[in-house]
Amino acid sequence: MTNKSICNALFSCFGKTVESYDSSTPGHLKSGKINVPPDVIDAARKTNADELDAAVQKILYR
């Protein structure tokens, strides 16, 4: 697993990809240098628990 693949897995639960951001985003997120992008936070707030569970299950069992 790379920082990028982990970020893509997490972001995909909210319909986002890390490619939409600066290439340093995965490393900066891991180190705590930056916060999760606001659009990902907004999408997370709008996602209900059942949708999130389904998205995570899809990632885990593909």
Side-chain angles (χ1 to χ4, degrees), residues 4 7 10-14 16 21-22 25-27 30 37 39-40 42 44 46 50-51 57-61:
K4 183 178 176 181
C7 286
L10 293 171
F11 283 23
S12 71
C13 293
F14 306 107
K16 307 290 180 186
Y21 309 96
D22 185 277
T25 297
K30 180 183 175 194
D39 61 323
V40 176
D42 187 49
K46 294 176 182 175
D50 291 333
E51 291 171 336
Q57 294 301 321
K58 183 177 176 183
I59 291 167
L60 291 175
Y61 299 109

Side-chain angles (χ1 to χ4, degrees), residues 11-53:
F11 283 23
S12 71
C13 293
F14 306 107
K16 307 290 180 186
T17 65
V18 78
E19 283 80 13
S20 304
Y21 309 96
D22 185 277
S23 62
S24 63
T25 297
H28 287 169
L29 286 167
K30 180 183 175 194
S31 70
K33 190 172 186 176
I34 64 170
N35 293 324
V36 175
D39 61 323
V40 176
I41 293 170
D42 187 49
R45 288 181 176 143
K46 294 176 182 175
T47 303
N48 72 44
D50 291 333
E51 291 171 336
L52 180 57
D53 180 56

